[in-house]
Amino acid sequence: MTMEDAMRQNTRQHGQDPVIDVEKLIDDAPLSAFQWTVFIMAFLIIAADGFDTGAMGFIAPSVANEWQVARQSMGPVLSAALFGMAIGALIGGPLADRLGRKLLVWLTVLLFGGACLASATSNGVAELVAWRFLTGLGLGAAMPNMLTLLAEYMPRRIRSTMVNLVCCAFPLGIAISGVTSSYLVDSEGWRSVLWAGGLFPLLLLGILFFALPESLQFMATHEKAHEKITHVVRKIQPDIVISGRAQFVASATVVKEAAATVQAASASTGLALIVSPQFRVGTLLLWVTCFMSLLVFYLMTSWLTTLLHVSGLAQAEASRASAIFPVGGTVGAIAMGYLMDKVNSNRTLVLSYALAVFLLVLTGLFSGVALLFGIGIFLSGAMIGGAQASMPALTASFYPVEGRATGVSWMHGIGRLGAIAGTFIGAGLLSLNLSLTSIMLILAVPALIASLALMLKGNIEQHARKSEQGGNLQPAGDLT
């Protein structure tokens, strides 16, 4: 069906004025240069996010040496950003569903860029902790809202692939942060890394202001100016004929009109929608999955080198093995994005976390064989890191536009609590002097819980679709 056919059909269904479904328009049109611009902007923002997130870990030893403080005294500095990221994600999503994605992205990039710059002026641990917390607030709100905006501009057929590709910018940003630190710290000092981490996102702000659009779905559901929506629509589909009386809607808006219970919730806040009876259980299961996933991911990326070294591996071997894990995650994210666009998204991630359980156990059992252990770490990283990178796409597809930014952000925020837990659990495992096999078996447990949570979510959605009566708003779980 062409867009003109869809307009005529919608006109018959909704009255005399032609109705243009912006979600369908994006799904049916080829990917435009305008949408590629959104993709590039998202990639740069997430890369900057990764750079600032990883910077402190690379410069912490130099900071401790300059200020003559014990290494363990740097713990609050390293965890401050994680606490800020959790709070930023929880606050940023509801604000984006009220004020718009673009404004929140712009403000939060300004916040984490400015706070990172200010961090470079710190003269003590307490001051640095405060600035890193503010940096985390911006980082935590920027990523989920940018990913939500990106998802809303990508056609359904390639949505997961494109979102996952952008998620790969996060570990890339961390890697760039490490390389930058290796060159700058010795010659210019640790503060130069924070200067670099703050300047780049601030330089992006001008480009973002002019090049980054507001979400079409957000503008349609909040009845923004007709001219603004028309301007964006013509950038996606230049040949479309738009009447001055045309009404723009998002698919979720049309469905919502027949769903009284969700309509009442969405009239309040995005948070009320995601915890409404229609979405409550799925929301909880997404939170559990992200919490467990980030627990494993951050424990592995933060403590794997030390854990492997304490467990008997040489320092060089432990470092190389640890580097393999995030590399596997990048490869896994690309592969899973493609699979999620071809088959059921939820089942793809259920299988990924289940395979991670199997691989973590095998990796522990073969920890004495260097080659097999390295392969196991890579494949475990591909499953855990790839699935975690895919969670924003899965979550964005679960909620209607009225609560989508809140849903993605709160999933990230609750997950960040898992990341914080992972750092403390890693420290605890160090004190227990466990074997490497035991450590990998322990890590398999949260991966198993993540798989089971998504499996339950999928079963509930399947049951809901079978028992659904016409006119009710269902979770948008088949958007991808």
Side-chain angles (χ1 to χ4, degrees):
M1 178 187 295
T2 66
M3 180 53 60
E4 287 73 17
D5 292 335
M7 288 175 61
R8 284 193 292 270
Q9 178 178 330
N10 282 332
T11 300
R12 291 193 297 270
Q13 293 174 348
H14 295 87
Q16 295 300 316
D17 292 344
V19 175
I20 299 178
D21 183 340
V22 295
E23 289 191 19
K24 180 172 174 54
L25 181 143
I26 291 172
D27 287 342
D28 291 348
L31 203 64
S32 64
F34 176 73
Q35 289 161 291
W36 275 111
T37 300
V38 176
F39 175 88
I40 293 170
M41 291 294 99
F43 192 93
L44 292 174
I45 291 171
I46 303 303
D49 197 318
F51 188 104
D52 284 5
T53 299
M56 204 64 237
F58 293 111
I59 66 175
S62 298
V63 177
N65 289 336
E66 179 179 316
W67 290 345
Q68 296 182 340
V69 297
R71 294 288 177 90
Q72 56 266 36
S73 299
M74 297 300 295
V77 175
L78 295 172
S79 60
L82 288 176
F83 281 102
M85 290 165 80
I87 296 172
L90 298 178
I91 295 173
L95 286 175
D97 279 329
R98 283 182 172 271
L99 304 177
R101 283 62 158 134
K102 177 178 179 176
L103 177 61
L104 258 293
V105 168
W106 198 90
L107 290 176
T108 52
V109 171
L110 174 63
L111 175 59
F112 80 72
C116 189
L117 273 182
S119 299
T121 68
S122 300
N123 293 308
V125 171
E127 187 178 354
L128 186 55
V129 166
W131 284 121
R132 290 306 295 172
F133 176 79
L134 290 176
T135 302
L137 279 178
L139 294 170
M143 176 184 277
N145 283 307
M146 187 63 248
L147 292 177
T148 300
L149 178 58
L150 174 69
E152 290 176 337
Y153 268 105
M154 293 297 109
R156 183 182 311 182
R157 62 187 180 275
I158 57 170
R159 184 176 294 141
S160 295
T161 299
M162 301 300 279
V163 172
N164 282 21
L165 282 173
V166 163
C167 286
C168 293
F170 187 78
L172 176 63
I174 295 176
I176 294 173
S177 181
V179 173
T180 302
S181 300
S182 68
Y183 284 101
L184 290 181
V185 170
D186 289 339
S187 60
E188 305 296 333
W190 60 266
R191 298 175 193 272
S192 62
V193 178
L194 297 178
W195 281 110
L199 283 173
F200 179 69
L202 292 180
L203 290 174
L204 279 177
L205 284 177
I207 302 174
L208 291 176
F209 185 81
F210 293 103
L212 190 69
E214 180 55 89
S215 162
L216 263 182
Q217 287 96 322
F218 178 85
M219 289 192 289
T221 55
H222 288 74
E223 299 180 350
K224 297 296 181 181
H226 186 280
E227 295 76 14
K228 290 184 178 179
I229 303 178
T230 301
H231 178 70
V232 175
V233 165
R234 285 187 170 140
K235 286 187 175 183
I236 296 174
Q237 196 172 93
D239 297 332
I240 189 172
V241 177
I242 302 176
S243 164
R245 298 181 295 106
Q247 177 188 359
F248 295 101
V249 300
S251 297
T253 306
V254 177
V255 178
K256 186 190 72 175
E257 292 171 357
T261 58
V262 178
Q263 190 175 34
S266 62
S268 173
T269 63
L271 181 58
L273 188 148
I274 70 172
V275 297
S276 66
Q278 193 83 22
F279 297 93
R280 185 179 300 149
V281 175
T283 293
L284 179 61
L285 292 172
L286 287 169
W287 290 356
V288 169
T289 302
C290 193
F291 182 97
M292 294 298 169
S293 181
L294 281 180
L295 187 156
V296 177
F297 185 83
Y298 271 82
L299 193 153
M300 292 283 277
T301 54
S302 301
W303 291 102
L304 185 58
T305 300
T306 304
L307 289 171
L308 294 178
H309 181 54
V310 171
S311 299
L313 270 69
Q315 182 66 44
E317 293 177 343
S319 298
R320 283 195 294 269
S322 300
I324 293 172
F325 184 79
V327 173
T330 301
V331 175
I334 296 171
M336 281 180 212
Y338 176 81
L339 289 173
M340 288 171 69
D341 285 325
K342 300 300 180 184
V343 297
N344 184 280
S345 300
N346 201 82
R347 290 176 187 169
T348 299
L349 299 195
V350 168
L351 179 60
S352 178
Y353 284 119
L355 286 174
V357 175
F358 177 73
L359 288 165
L360 287 168
V361 172
L362 282 184
T363 301
L365 294 176
F366 289 99
S367 58
V369 184
L371 178 61
L372 293 179
F373 182 79
I375 294 173
I377 290 293
F378 175 82
L379 293 177
S380 297
M383 295 300 106
I384 292 289
Q388 176 56 42
S390 304
M391 285 297 294
L394 180 70
T395 305
S397 73
F398 181 69
Y399 298 109
V401 64
E402 294 85 354
R404 189 170 294 152
T406 298
V408 175
S409 294
W410 271 68
M411 181 272 295
H412 267 275
I414 300 298
R416 295 296 181 186
L417 299 179
I420 295 168
T423 62
F424 285 105
I425 291 172
L429 292 176
L430 275 174
S431 66
L432 295 176
N433 296 319
L434 297 175
S435 67
L436 193 54
T437 299
S438 298
I439 292 172
M440 290 300 169
L441 288 174
I442 291 171
L443 290 176
V445 174
L448 176 61
I449 295 173
S451 180
L452 292 175
L454 283 186
M455 183 184 297
L456 180 58
K457 171 180 171 288
N459 289 339
I460 292 173
E461 286 179 321
Q462 186 176 18
H463 177 74
R465 282 193 292 269
K466 289 181 179 179
S467 61
E468 180 199 14
Q469 295 180 352
N472 288 333
L473 174 62
Q474 64 178 6
D478 60 348
L479 277 177
T480 56

